[in-house]
């Protein structure tokens, strides 16, 4: 293992991270909200630490292998999220414990959007901005992770996308390819954010809220600057803007890139994952709409549709925004939406969950197993679009699902062992593992009432979810550490 | 599809079933409890119906293919369980609705052991005997299904056992082989039942209770002749007898047969599934024991150990007997045991759940997926004992797990949609799908308070569990019905 090279890279990343402490400090300067000192101190701390890790090892370069790739990805998220917790620990308002600071930072950077803060409207602008920015940076990281890094590492069947990744395909070397891919993806990511902020502003948000929510929308993060989330604005136009950009951000960014290159909307229409993704949103919206009307829960068709569409898209894409307290909806709906968050967004999007393409493949693989029972000697290929799937991908998808279920169960049992009721435990783990954000029961609004031990379990769940289980799990294999 | 041949076989089975109505009638005669008429009427009805299906088609013989095999297995359980519900519908005590009669009959014959009867101690002896006998017959069916039929049909990876099945291996024809295998297995099944009844009697049960409980013990069924289950006897010796025979019945009957043939106890010791199965019992007992002591729930080490051992083995083997109301145990234990029932007994036993060998293989396959990430080009075989696993088995095991999870989720959502609270729904579906019996929450004691719609969903769950998901699921594939 090239430890010094890894320390060099992390040092560099922490140095870059330090710069992200400056915009909140600037916001603090504009709004004179007294939150600036903490961010300046964090800036200096990150800069010094990052630099002192990087500088002594600045010449420790070497071609990275898969093994180092996994370690860097895991450290990328854990180290950056830990340093991101620093200003939160230093602040007076909110006054957060160490555990809570870590929870909020990991929740931000993994774009989970679960919060332990109970009175968000009272926070300084600098903190509000910082939380939104954390999600936006996390979303950036995820796009590169999901489109460029994981396919190369072959995590959870994502080698499926290996050939499709934009950038120089023939080059098998890791670093230059990731850098080139990242550049293209970030242009798209940045453009979408700007468009989203403009749309929010035109729909009626103030400039600060528009920028803040564009960050957490494109990152499918779900943090808001208000306790009532998007519901604060009580504006159907804003709700529609949010829904539109959530769906856009829930699509594979490699597909956006392909559509951009070919300048054709047909690129989307021929993509099987896109079609399923859209169908899921339509079906969930319809079910919610019908049940809300039938149960007499909504007083008009318009508000029923507005509520149904927003909550269906927000929960199933794993954003976790809300315009109404959907946990009080009739019986089945809240849990149905939580289950939909297990599907989540498309692979290569900023959405969480298991990803639409994996669910499609699980379904196709299940049908194949059934067909094999009737035709034991037939050779049946699984096809996604026009591509036949290699056996390795099939194995990896089954494995991903099983590992997902195992991690889910273990985390849930740990929460219950710590004294949390079963229903809350179930939805809290789902909300964190799927990088969704809000759960049901005691964690419908926030995670403040959860005990510290469980908060750490949930932090781990967020990481497992965001790193697609295997990236993190592989580190637990003893042979990973043997050379 | 050879429909007439299938009707012939089912007619024959129903005719045989009619004979099983006579022992309860006889019991009624001995105890003069007034339950006899219903069983005599059911006897006549089954005899006439069975005969009139069989007789016109008695010459419709033909070699059965896999497709007919699936249909017969499914119809075997559904048709026999439906006819078994007849005497329950006819009885005055208990006075059961049609839905409840079906629920009780399916729960009996699938050895689930969930009951909708609230006052079991007050039932006529004939009914008590009938319920126990249902489980015993169901257990018999399962042994043959699991050891001989499913491996041949290749359901859920059980082709793994194809070569091991006792009986003439080279004969690929279905009927004679199943018949021969069945004979051997039933000798073992019968002998164990006799031994179990004797042991119960020696430990202090009356003859009726001893026979009745031996039926539901060897079948890992869980029906009892008392509301308080085995706890009624309040006798540690009886508890030990129960635990011993549950473990014996939870072992692969093909392994019993092999041990019997080789006359060596070492046959067990070299079996990887056996070792894991025993380890699971030991670990669960220890956890329960430690928590019961540490939480001050038990007043002595003896009673803590007695309670821990009994409940751990009874729930994790999916028997569902109880000596104490374990649903009131400290936080984690009840749910931990329910989760253990997902593992269940060994393949080829009368236990339910996903089966120990599948969980072992899921674990090994998961490790292989992780190893593949580090060594992408290595060819890694999965070995169980000394056998390398074919890819088909690997696929089938993953598929089985995914289908299990999917069926579980759908059933649970249906129960919640019908108005049942989430926790009860979760444990009720687990209890039925794993053929365990009692759940937690509202179904900790019985299923009487559940609505009719949900009872039918749970009946389906019992069937899915007992038929190892795929046997039933394959019938939903349109191509199954095309010739
Ligand atoms: K989120
Ligand atoms: K049972």
């Amino acid at each position: 293992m090239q430890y010094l090279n890894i320390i060099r890279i992390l040092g560099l990343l922490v140095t870059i991270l330090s710069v992200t402490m400056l915009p909140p400090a600037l916001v603090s300067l504009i709004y004179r909200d007294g939150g600036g000192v903490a961010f300046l101190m964090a800036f200096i701390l990150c800069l010094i630490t990052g630099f002192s890790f990087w500088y002594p090892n600045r010449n420790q370069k070497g071609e990275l292998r898969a093994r180092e790739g996994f370690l860097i990805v895991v450290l990328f998220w854990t180290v950056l999220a830990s340093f991101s917790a620093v200003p939160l620990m230093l602040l007076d308002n909110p006054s957060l414990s160490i555990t809570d600071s870590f929870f909020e930072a990991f929740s931000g950077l993994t774009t989970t959007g679960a919060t332990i803060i109970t009175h968000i409207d009272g926070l300084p602008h600098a903190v509000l901005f910082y939380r939104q920015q954390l999600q936006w940076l996390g979303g950036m990281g995820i796009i590169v992770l999901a489109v460029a890094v994981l396919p190369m590492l072959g995590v959870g069947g994502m080698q499926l996308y290996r050939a499709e990744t934009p950038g120089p395909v023939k080059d098998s070397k890791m670093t230059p390819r990731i850098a080139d891919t990242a550049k293209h993806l970030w242009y798209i990511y940045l453009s979408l954010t700007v468009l989203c902020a403009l749309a929010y502003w035109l729909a009626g948000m103030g400039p600060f809220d528009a920028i803040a929510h564009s960050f957490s929308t494109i990152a499918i993060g779900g943090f808001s600057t208000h306790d009532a989330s998007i519901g604060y604005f009580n504006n159907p136009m804003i709700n529609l803007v949010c829904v539109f950009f959530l769906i856009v951000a829930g699509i594979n960014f490699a597909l956006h890139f392909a559509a951009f290159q070919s300048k054709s909307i047909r690129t989307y229409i021929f993509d099987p994952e896109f079609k399923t993704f859209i169908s899921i949103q339509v079906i969930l919206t319809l079910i919610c709409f019908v049940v809300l009307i039938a149960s007499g829960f909504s007083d008009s068709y318009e508000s029923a549709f507005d509520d149904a569409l927003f909550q269906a898209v927000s929960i199933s894409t794993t954003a976790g925004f809300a315009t109404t307290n959907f946990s009080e909806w009739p019986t089945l709906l809240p849990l149905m939406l939580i289950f939909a968050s297990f599907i989540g967004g498309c692979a290569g999007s900023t959405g969480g969950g298991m990803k639409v393409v994996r669910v499609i493949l699980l379904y196709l693989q299940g049908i194949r197993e059934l067909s094999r029972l009737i035709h034991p000697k037939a050779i049946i290929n699984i096809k996604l679009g026009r591509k036949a799937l290699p056996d390795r991908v099939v194995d990896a998808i089954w494995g991903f699902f099983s590992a997902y279920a195992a991690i889910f169960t273990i985390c849930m049992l740990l929460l219950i062992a710590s004294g949390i009721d079963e229903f809350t435990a179930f939805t809290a783990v789902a909300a964190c593992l799927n990088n969704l954000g809000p759960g049901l029961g005691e964690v419908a609004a926030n995670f403040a009432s959860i005990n510290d031990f469980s908060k750490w379990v949930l932090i781990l769940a967020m990481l497992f979810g965001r790193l697609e289980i295997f990236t993190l799990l592989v580190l637990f294999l003893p042979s990973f550490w043997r050379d």
Side-chain angles (χ1 to χ4, degrees), chain A residues 150-183:
Chain A
L150 295 185
M152 207 152 4
L153 295 176
V155 166
M158 288 303 102
Q159 54 267 62
L160 183 66
Y161 288 107
R162 206 172 276 164
E164 281 183 3
T165 314
V169 177
K170 281 167 198 160
D171 185 354
S172 69
K173 294 196 172 173
M174 228 163 162
T175 329
R177 184 167 160 197
I178 291 178
D180 191 70
T181 307
K183 204 179 61 187

Side-chain angles (χ1 to χ4, degrees), chain A residues 173-239:
Chain A
K173 294 196 172 173
M174 228 163 162
T175 329
R177 184 167 160 197
I178 291 178
D180 191 70
T181 307
K183 204 179 61 187
H184 288 105
L185 294 172
W186 286 340
Y187 286 145
I188 298 174
Y189 188 77
L190 187 65
S191 313
L192 287 176
T193 309
V194 172
L195 287 176
C196 180
L198 281 174
Y200 273 137
W201 181 62
L202 290 174
M205 275 192 195
F208 181 80
D209 276 348
I211 292 170
H213 284 93
S214 73
F215 281 179
S216 57
T217 303
I218 298 302
I220 313 198
F223 271 163
S224 171
T225 54
H226 302 285
D227 290 301
S229 187
I230 302 282
Y232 170 88
F233 303 100
N234 194 20
N235 177 337
M237 203 55 217
I238 286 178
N239 298 351

Side-chain angles (χ1 to χ4, degrees), chain A residues 357-371:
Chain A
V357 67
R358 289 208 185 90
V359 176
I360 299 174
L361 290 177
L362 281 172
Y363 174 77
L364 293 176
Q365 292 175 194
I367 296 291
R368 175 166 78 164
E369 283 312 307
L370 286 176
S371 304

Side-chain angles (χ1 to χ4, degrees), chain A residues 95-389:
Chain A
S95 168
L96 299 180
S97 69
I98 291 179
T99 299
D100 282 358
S101 303
F102 270 88
F103 188 92
E104 198 76 7
F106 273 81
S107 174
L109 210 64
T110 59
T111 77
T112 304
T115 184
I116 35 74
I117 299 174
T118 46
H119 190 48
I120 292 169
D121 288 280
L123 293 178
H125 278 76
V127 179
L128 291 175
F129 188 86
Y130 182 65
R131 291 170 76 242
Q132 305 298 117
Q133 181 187 272
L134 268 181
Q135 296 219 308
W136 192 67
L137 294 171
M140 248 183 174
I142 287 148
I143 290 297
V144 176
L145 182 73
V147 177
V149 183
L150 295 185
M152 207 152 4
L153 295 176
V155 166
M158 288 303 102
Q159 54 267 62
L160 183 66
Y161 288 107
R162 206 172 276 164
E164 281 183 3
T165 314
V169 177
K170 281 167 198 160
D171 185 354
S172 69
K173 294 196 172 173
M174 228 163 162
T175 329
R177 184 167 160 197
I178 291 178
D180 191 70
T181 307
K183 204 179 61 187
H184 288 105
L185 294 172
W186 286 340
Y187 286 145
I188 298 174
Y189 188 77
L190 187 65
S191 313
L192 287 176
T193 309
V194 172
L195 287 176
C196 180
L198 281 174
Y200 273 137
W201 181 62
L202 290 174
M205 275 192 195
F208 181 80
D209 276 348
I211 292 170
H213 284 93
S214 73
F215 281 179
S216 57
T217 303
I218 298 302
I220 313 198
F223 271 163
S224 171
T225 54
H226 302 285
D227 290 301
S229 187
I230 302 282
Y232 170 88
F233 303 100
N234 194 20
N235 177 337
M237 203 55 217
I238 286 178
N239 298 351
L240 273 183
V241 169
C242 185
V243 163
F244 176 78
F245 280 98
L246 282 182
I247 289 178
V248 168
I251 295 169
N252 193 334
F253 273 63
L255 193 65
H256 285 315
F257 184 73
F260 175 76
Q261 282 193 313
S262 67
K263 296 194 177 30
S264 161
I265 204 89
R266 293 174 63 191
T267 314
Y268 294 107
I269 295 163
F270 288 125
D271 186 69
E273 187 181 24
F274 172 80
K275 282 186 280 190
T276 310
F277 175 63
I278 298 296
S279 309
I280 291 170
Q281 311 304 322
V282 172
I283 292 166
L284 289 174
T285 303
L286 279 179
I287 294 176
C288 290
F289 176 71
V290 168
V291 174
L292 286 179
I293 291 293
S295 66
F297 200 88
S298 290
D299 41 16
S300 77
Y301 286 105
E302 286 78 17
S303 79
F305 183 76
D306 183 34
D307 283 350
L309 175 67
F310 189 90
Q311 262 64 226
V313 171
S314 171
I315 304 300
S316 76
T317 58
T318 77
F321 288 121
T323 57
T324 177
N325 188 355
F326 83 101
S327 70
E328 288 170 6
W329 278 5
T331 341
L332 181 67
L333 296 187
L335 211 67
M336 181 188 76
L337 292 182
I338 295 282
F339 270 99
S341 78
F342 278 95
I343 304 176
C346 298
S349 76
T350 51
M354 294 196 292
K355 311 293 177 291
V356 174
V357 67
R358 289 208 185 90
V359 176
I360 299 174
L361 290 177
L362 281 172
Y363 174 77
L364 293 176
Q365 292 175 194
I367 296 291
R368 175 166 78 164
E369 283 312 307
L370 286 176
S371 304
R372 277 179 169 177
L373 291 177
I374 316 176
H375 309 289
K377 279 161 194 163
I379 290 168
I380 310 161
N381 280 320
I382 294 174
K383 282 185 184 171
L384 189 71
R386 263 168 275 166
K387 271 185 300 190
L389 239 61

